[in-house]
Amino acid sequence: MIQLSGAGKRFGHKLLFENTDWLITPHDRVGLVGANGTGKSTLMKVLAGLDTFDYGSLIVAKGTTAGYLPQDGLSLSGRTVFAECMSVFSELHAMEREMETLMQQISELDHTSPEYANVADRYHSLEHEFQTRGGYSIEADVGRVLQGLGFRKEDWERQTDEFSGGWQMRLALAKLLLQKPNLLLLDEPTNHLDLEARNWLEEYLHDYPYALVLISHDRYFLDVVVNKIAEIWNKRFWFYTGNYDKFLSQKTQRNEQLQAAYKNQRDRIEQLEVFINRFRYQATKAKQVQSRIKELEKIERIEVPPEEKTIHFSFPQPKPSGRIVAEFVDVAKTYPPKPGGNTGEKEVFRDVNFLIERGDRIALVGVNGAGKSTLIKLLADTERTTQGEYKLGHNVEADYFAQDQYKELDPDARMIDDLGNASPGSTQTELRSLLGCFLFSEDDVFKKIGVLSGGERGRYALLRLLLHPANFLLLDEPTNHLDLRAKDVLLDALMKYAGTVVFVSHDRYFIDKLATRVFEIGDGKVEVYPGNYEDYLWRKQGGNKKQDESIRQQLKAVEPAPEKPSNGNQVPADAANAAKAKRMNPIKRKKMEDRIHELEAEISRAETLIAQCETAMQDFVSAEESQRQAEELDRQKTAHATFLSEWEELSEALQAD
């Protein structure tokens, strides 16, 4: 569909990438990854025809239709939501109008006339094309996509300019999905989606019949949707087959192979140079010297790219709090009506009761507007409850990271000065080192906060938070504007953090790894679920209610255990096993199946090697060789037993699912 040859692009004086050769085929599903600032969004604009390369060529096959969704900046007005989506079917609407005209003519013409036959043929041809292109189901398709992306039915007749920027981008995405271009270009399509809409989009794109290229900082989303990875690294493109998880594994192997090849080449070059320098002036060695000089000249030097920058930090371990960190007792929260508005008070919560204990890592989930940010603000005491009581525990110190935390900073202050004021005991060297950990290096540290990009402001605001140890962290979308590697480092730091965390995130992988409990917010209530997001989905999708209640009671340790438990105060083993089996998601199952196939190949290989060793030991060569053969036989038998044991465990787990 699209072929890049020797392509390169600059942004000002900065070279983004060069010497890029890439063929995008009709069924490719590519995840475009790389650190912030490497040129991913710029490349998407070039593929969409909105920009050009500075070097090389771009060839687009005839019939290619590209649909591009930028990160933000789109605004729609002048129509209702439903009419805006229907506008993408202008060709089908024109066909429908022509069909109506032809039908009118058919009713008026003589059935025996040649003109009638021509009109009827045209009508049947149009009707067939109209049906083939889904003309009779376009309204149903529009409704399905709008509902999937979170638009309620009562929103469909609202004017598009009534919606905020995030909802405008959802609407632009809906139009793009309904157009179904044969090359879909999506630049961070999940940025403005809640988890429910993100899950729907995963399924939709998983079944999308044409090619797509997308940028995303959501690891789980990439794992589900793509089957190839294109990485921009060190101003070059590197291509991998498989999803993001396989990409990480393949990249590690590639780097290890590159380092080994580089070392071997350096050793050979040193050998050649030593020989040449030693015998350069000896006539008897002239032929050998010339031979080695030619070999040295022919060697294509392997370049090892520099280590990738990433964020390195850990949260300061805080002073311990009491066992009870925070408690809501019959809490309600309402907002007064807006001046001049037609609606009354807006109720966010009513009769909410829950307990947060030391060490909890709680994910707040729910559709956009359900009240996740409001709940965090109540916990941070930046907003007051309307009714009920909010109790903060003994020795609890809270830190709050808001979505717009950067607005609290002085835009005219330089970063290094502002950081020095926040940490007066630190030296300039320590401050520069800390800023460097967050990718602010060299002259960047002297930038004013007001000129930073959205991602840079988010990173800097998170950095300032780390200067103040606290034992109760309240984080409202801390992963926004962080790339995949930075998210992994933040995740690792939070998992090692000894305090209590309540956080909002739309990153499925981040929640799955971090959360120990999930609070679902919606319809004025807060429902508490033990476990991570995968556990939460299992229960939402029909997990056994009795098992669910038993596990929840044990984890919360608030209510007494059920009477006559089957195994003391522990969750019954069969219930735990059943929960574990039912919680397996399709991604995990596919990984297990792939691993089983790998193990079967390893087992077969080990059995072949064992047979070869046993055959070789029948012919005595020497005592040393016999000992070596015996040791090799033991190694292969050990490996065979290990592979077989893992294969049995995985097979049993799959059968139990």
Side-chain angles (χ1 to χ4, degrees):
M1 298 180 70
I2 292 183
Q3 183 173 2
L4 280 60
S5 300
K9 183 67 177 175
R10 288 184 174 276
F11 187 78
H13 296 293
K14 179 183 179 183
L15 177 65
L16 298 177
F17 50 83
E18 62 182 350
N19 299 326
T20 300
D21 298 322
W22 184 13
L23 177 64
I24 302 175
T25 63
H27 299 290
D28 276 351
R29 315 173 66 81
V30 185
L32 186 58
V33 303
N36 287 338
T38 53
K40 301 186 298 296
S41 294
T42 301
L43 176 65
M44 293 288 268
K45 291 177 183 177
V46 174
L47 295 178
L50 303 177
D51 202 346
T52 58
F53 287 122
D54 295 322
Y55 318 104
S57 63
L58 171 68
I59 301 173
V60 181
K62 186 178 180 180
T64 300
T65 57
Y68 169 60
L69 181 78
Q71 290 186 33
D72 49 40
L74 296 181
S75 180
L76 303 168
S77 62
R79 294 190 182 105
T80 65
V81 168
F82 195 83
E84 188 67 45
C85 288
M86 289 291 288
S87 68
V88 306
F89 301 110
S90 56
E91 289 186 16
L92 289 174
H93 290 320
M95 291 172 62
E96 189 174 25
R97 288 192 296 270
E98 185 178 355
M99 286 166 59
E100 291 174 356
T101 302
L102 292 172
M103 181 58 70
Q104 180 66 29
Q105 293 177 5
I106 288 173
S107 66
E108 297 172 353
L109 291 171
D110 182 359
H111 290 193
T112 60
S113 67
E115 187 179 0
Y116 176 87
N118 292 336
V119 172
D121 287 344
R122 173 61 178 166
Y123 176 83
H124 290 306
S125 174
L126 269 179
E127 199 271 341
H128 177 72
E129 184 180 356
F130 186 78
Q131 183 176 9
T132 302
R133 293 173 61 177
Y136 292 113
S137 62
I138 56 177
E139 291 188 358
D141 291 341
V142 169
R144 179 170 62 90
V145 170
L146 286 176
Q147 285 186 321
L149 292 177
F151 288 92
R152 301 168 299 174
K153 284 192 174 182
E154 51 266 36
D155 294 330
W156 296 1
E157 297 306 318
R158 291 175 58 190
Q159 293 293 313
T160 57
D161 47 18
E162 296 179 26
F163 290 86
S164 65
W167 285 96
Q168 291 268 358
M169 294 306 298
R170 288 199 196 202
L171 186 54
L173 175 59
K175 291 180 63 177
L176 203 57
L177 298 180
L178 289 166
Q179 288 172 354
K180 291 187 178 177
N182 54 28
L183 177 59
L184 200 56
L185 304 169
L186 305 177
D187 193 349
E188 300 195 33
T190 59
N191 268 4
H192 306 284
L193 302 182
D194 53 37
L195 278 166
E196 289 73 13
R198 187 171 300 203
N199 292 341
W200 178 87
L201 183 61
E202 285 170 3
E203 294 181 9
Y204 186 95
L205 293 180
H206 183 270
D207 299 327
Y208 193 71
Y210 307 115
L212 61 88
V213 179
L214 65 89
I215 300 170
S216 178
H217 293 324
D218 187 321
R219 178 170 172 169
Y220 187 90
F221 187 77
L222 288 171
D223 273 341
V224 171
V225 174
V226 307
N227 56 24
K228 290 183 179 179
I229 294 290
E231 183 192 24
I232 306 177
W233 178 39
N234 196 38
K235 302 178 178 59
R236 298 292 180 91
F237 271 72
W238 308 80
F239 299 96
Y240 303 84
T241 300
N243 60 14
Y244 188 79
D245 189 56
K246 290 184 178 179
F247 149 71
L248 291 178
S249 174
Q250 293 173 26
K251 182 178 179 180
T252 300
Q253 294 174 5
R254 185 205 72 191
N255 288 345
E256 290 173 352
Q257 293 169 359
L258 187 64
Q259 291 287 351
Y262 176 77
K263 182 179 182 302
N264 292 336
Q265 187 182 79
R266 290 304 309 164
D267 290 344
R268 180 57 181 161
I269 289 172
E270 288 176 8
Q271 291 172 3
L272 294 173
E273 289 175 343
V274 168
F275 185 91
I276 291 168
N277 292 333
R278 183 176 180 184
F279 300 109
R280 182 185 296 273
Y281 303 108
Q282 294 187 20
T284 57
K285 297 287 186 178
K287 189 174 182 179
Q288 293 94 319
V289 168
Q290 288 301 316
S291 174
R292 282 161 175 76
I293 289 175
K294 289 180 180 179
E295 180 182 349
L296 190 62
E297 291 173 346
K298 290 180 180 179
I299 292 178
E300 186 175 344
R301 305 301 172 99
I302 296 173
E303 294 183 9
V304 178
E307 290 294 321
E308 297 178 84
K309 288 183 179 181
T310 191
I311 296 174
H312 298 283
F313 71 89
S314 60
F315 285 96
Q317 296 306 319
K319 296 179 291 185
S321 66
R323 185 178 70 86
I324 304 301
V325 174
E327 183 178 5
F328 269 26
V329 181
D330 297 329
V331 166
K333 177 63 178 178
T334 59
Y335 288 105
K338 294 181 180 179
N342 297 323
T343 58
E345 289 187 340
K346 179 182 178 182
E347 180 185 67
V348 184
F349 300 117
R350 62 178 178 276
D351 301 326
V352 171
N353 294 274
F354 61 74
L355 201 65
I356 297 175
E357 298 188 30
R358 184 179 60 239
D360 275 344
R361 299 198 296 263
I362 296 170
L364 306 184
V365 304
V367 299
N368 282 354
K372 302 185 295 293
S373 293
T374 299
L375 181 56
I376 279 207
K377 290 175 182 176
L378 292 175
L379 291 170
D381 208 24
T382 60
E383 289 197 12
R384 301 291 183 178
T385 61
T386 306
Q387 293 180 3
E389 186 178 6
Y390 168 39
K391 302 177 182 178
L392 203 61
H394 179 65
N395 282 339
V396 174
E397 298 177 2
D399 261 348
Y400 172 47
F401 178 82
Q403 291 185 41
D404 55 356
Q405 187 71 29
Y406 65 89
K407 291 183 179 179
E408 304 296 324
L409 305 175
D410 180 3
D412 295 323
R414 299 189 306 175
M415 277 190 291
I416 195 163
D417 298 333
D418 182 71
L419 202 62
N421 293 333
S423 181
S426 300
T427 65
Q428 286 282 308
T429 302
E430 291 171 336
L431 293 175
R432 291 186 69 108
S433 176
L434 192 57
L435 285 163
C437 292
F438 278 72
L439 309 184
F440 297 112
S441 57
E442 299 178 352
D443 292 340
D444 288 344
V445 302
F446 301 111
K447 285 183 177 179
K448 290 186 177 181
I449 295 170
V451 304
L452 301 178
S453 68
E456 290 171 332
R457 289 197 302 264
R459 290 205 309 271
Y460 180 71
L462 187 59
L463 165 59
R464 284 185 102 256
L465 178 71
L466 304 184
L467 297 175
H468 305 284
N471 52 29
F472 187 29
L473 284 180
L474 303 163
L475 308 176
D476 195 353
E477 299 197 28
T479 58
N480 275 3
H481 308 295
L482 296 183
D483 61 21
L484 284 158
R485 291 177 293 118
K487 282 185 183 180
D488 286 342
V489 177
L490 174 62
L491 175 62
D492 182 63
L494 286 172
M495 291 179 70
K496 295 175 181 176
Y497 174 66
T500 306
V501 183
V502 177
F503 67 99
V504 178
S505 176
H506 295 322
D507 189 304
R508 167 74 179 272
Y509 180 83
F510 191 84
I511 298 175
D512 267 340
K513 287 291 186 180
L514 183 61
T516 58
R517 287 203 287 164
V518 172
F519 284 14
E520 182 191 44
I521 301 170
D523 297 326
K525 299 181 294 183
V526 176
E527 295 286 339
V528 178
Y529 295 85
N532 61 9
Y533 190 73
E534 186 181 325
D535 303 326
Y536 156 74
L537 284 183
W538 171 71
R539 289 174 172 83
K540 292 288 289 183
Q541 294 167 359
N544 185 286
K545 291 184 178 180
K546 291 183 179 179
Q547 294 174 3
D548 181 55
E549 184 61 25
S550 176
I551 295 171
R552 188 182 304 180
Q553 288 173 352
Q554 298 303 321
L555 288 175
K556 288 176 66 178
V558 174
E559 300 177 8
E563 293 183 4
K564 298 182 180 180
S566 60
N567 188 20
N569 287 333
Q570 302 297 319
V571 178
D574 57 344
N577 291 335
K580 183 178 179 181
K582 291 184 180 181
R583 287 200 301 267
M584 189 184 301
N585 64 24
I587 299 298
K588 184 183 293 185
R589 183 178 183 86
K590 180 65 168 60
K591 290 179 181 178
M592 292 174 67
E593 290 172 347
D594 291 344
R595 180 56 180 161
I596 284 176
H597 292 317
E598 293 173 0
L599 289 170
E600 288 171 347
E602 293 290 353
I603 290 169
S604 177
R605 179 173 175 274
E607 289 173 346
T608 301
L609 292 174
I610 288 171
Q612 290 175 352
C613 288
E614 291 175 340
T615 301
M617 290 181 68
Q618 295 175 7
D619 299 324
F620 180 79
V621 177
S622 66
E624 292 80 5
E625 180 63 15
S626 295
Q627 183 177 357
R628 188 195 67 77
Q629 291 172 343
E631 291 174 351
E632 178 64 20
L633 180 60
D634 288 340
R635 279 196 297 271
Q636 294 301 330
K637 286 183 175 180
T638 301
H640 180 270
T642 302
F643 294 143
L644 191 60
S645 175
E646 185 179 355
W647 180 86
E648 290 173 348
E649 290 178 2
L650 292 175
S651 298
E652 289 176 1
L654 285 178
Q655 290 174 1
D657 182 35

